[in-house]
Amino acid sequence: MALRESGEDYLESIYVLSERQGIVRSIDVAEYLGVTKASVSKAMTTLESNGYVEMGKRDVHLTERGLEVARQMWERHCFFVGLLEDAGVSAEVASQEGCHMEHCLSEESFEKLRAMLGRDGASAPIMTD
Amino acid sequence: MALRESGEDYLESIYVLSERQGIVRSIDVAEYLGVTKASVSKAMTTLESNGYVEMGKRDVHLTERGLEVARQMWERHCFFVGLLEDAGVSAEVASQEGCHMEHCLSEESFEKLRAMLGRDGASAPIMTD
DNA sequence: ACGTTTTGTGAAACACGGCTAACTTTTAGG
DNA sequence: CCTAAAAGTTAGCCGTGTTTCACAAAACGT
């Protein structure tokens, strides 16, 4: 089953939170994304059954497969947010809108775009945002 | 009621088709977007009740309000498709993916991005694609 | 003018992704 | 320990936007 935009968002947030705090619980994801814990629970179930995450007793973590997607999403997130900020968009708006742009492109197209725009591949350090 | 991504797509396609062929029928929109005519029928009903389109006996056309949105979407479509093509993405893929990017940004952010990237505002001539 | 084909509509169903509410389970303080 | 708070799950609902299927209405060829 193909990953949807919302699934990618969940994976990305698990990635960011795990870098930030190590162990990630559903409630952390819920707060980060601004959804209810019920929504997270549902999403985790389908992400787990598709092999993107594994749920322990009190944590959730990415599988290899999930990590790959998550890193890619985070990379794109940083790219688009940086691009918009450079264009003069406020950090807050750039972050919101970048969140959507990151799901629009295939990997191939994204790489081509990044190559053309000459922004290097460095992702922003993960911090509270 | 705010316009959703799909509503914007419908308006844009009516705009493109009307430039191309004058009169636009539901079936044309359905074929253009690759959805069923039932979907178009339903979408037109809500777009009409929100003042974006008017339905005649055998055609559908944009109101002032709808035209404004449609032109804006088309402008963005051309911008993103052009950008991707310049990056080396095939016309077909660029068109597909540009279709999604065009809905991600606020008007303000889009203008800033366009200004920074220095692509002029000329939209591509409307042709079969 | 008639019948066929094309076009449009309406009803019912589905997938998705969110929500609330109620419940269970786990954690942690006293 | 034991209870209260926090975290997680489950069930059911909603809105959006599709679909299919059946039908209505219009257009068109002969």
Side-chain angles (χ1 to χ4, degrees):
Chain A
M1 191 240 273
L3 216 40
R4 307 278 177 177
E5 168 158 345
S6 81
E8 292 174 348
D9 283 336
Y10 282 112
L11 297 180
E12 182 186 318
S13 60
I14 294 166
Y15 172 68
V16 169
L17 289 167
S18 72
E19 293 285 311
R20 220 189 250 177
Q21 65 188 37
I23 292 211
V24 181
R25 299 164 309 159
S26 290
I27 193 73
D28 301 320
V29 176
E31 277 163 16
Y32 183 79
L33 288 178
V35 298
T36 62
K37 57 200 176 126
S39 298
V40 177
S41 181
K42 218 187 216 183
M44 290 308 113
T45 302
T46 78
L47 287 173
E48 179 165 53
S49 73
N50 287 288
Y52 292 106
V53 304
E54 278 165 4
M55 280 182 285
K57 280 269 172 208
R58 302 245 68 68
D59 76 305
V60 53
H61 57 270
L62 299 167
T63 62
E64 252 327 295
R65 188 179 186 204
L67 182 59
E68 197 174 327
V69 174
R71 269 208 251 262
Q72 196 174 298
M73 284 304 124
W74 179 246
E75 198 180 334
R76 292 177 184 205
H77 180 87
C78 296
F79 173 80
F80 284 115
V81 170
L83 188 66
L84 288 171
E85 284 180 0
D86 286 357
V89 178
S90 75
E92 193 194 351
V93 173
S95 183
Q96 278 175 211
E97 296 179 349
C99 269
H100 295 105
M101 300 190 78
E102 69 197 36
H103 305 286
C104 296
L105 298 178
S106 64
E107 179 61 9
E108 191 181 335
S109 298
F110 174 67
E111 289 306 336
K112 286 177 175 170
L113 184 61
R114 179 160 68 181
M116 181 178 72
L117 295 183
R119 306 177 64 82
D120 68 19
S123 289
I126 290 171
M127 61 185 73
T128 58
D129 58 5
Chain B
M1 191 238 273
L3 217 39
R4 307 271 175 190
E5 168 157 346
S6 81
E8 291 175 347
D9 282 337
Y10 282 113
L11 297 180
E12 182 185 320
S13 61
I14 294 166
Y15 173 69
V16 170
L17 290 167
S18 71
E19 294 285 308
R20 217 189 249 176
Q21 65 188 35
I23 291 211
V24 181
R25 297 163 311 157
S26 290
I27 192 74
D28 302 320
V29 176
E31 277 163 16
Y32 182 79
L33 288 178
V35 297
T36 63
K37 56 201 176 120
S39 299
V40 178
S41 179
K42 220 187 214 184
M44 291 307 113
T45 301
T46 80
L47 287 174
E48 178 165 53
S49 73
N50 287 288
Y52 292 104
V53 305
E54 278 166 4
M55 282 183 282
K57 279 271 172 211
R58 301 244 71 66
D59 76 306
V60 53
H61 57 272
L62 299 168
T63 61
E64 252 330 292
R65 188 180 185 201
L67 182 59
E68 197 174 329
V69 175
R71 269 208 251 262
Q72 194 175 301
M73 285 304 123
W74 180 245
E75 198 180 333
R76 292 178 184 205
H77 180 88
C78 295
F79 172 80
F80 285 114
V81 170
L83 188 66
L84 289 170
E85 284 181 0
D86 286 358
V89 178
S90 75
E92 194 193 349
V93 173
S95 183
Q96 279 175 211
E97 297 179 349
C99 268
H100 295 104
M101 301 192 76
E102 69 198 36
H103 304 286
C104 296
L105 299 178
S106 64
E107 179 63 8
E108 191 181 334
S109 298
F110 174 68
E111 289 307 334
K112 285 176 176 171
L113 184 62
R114 180 159 70 180
M116 181 178 71
L117 295 182
R119 308 179 62 82
D120 68 18
S123 291
I126 291 170
M127 61 185 72
T128 58
D129 57 6

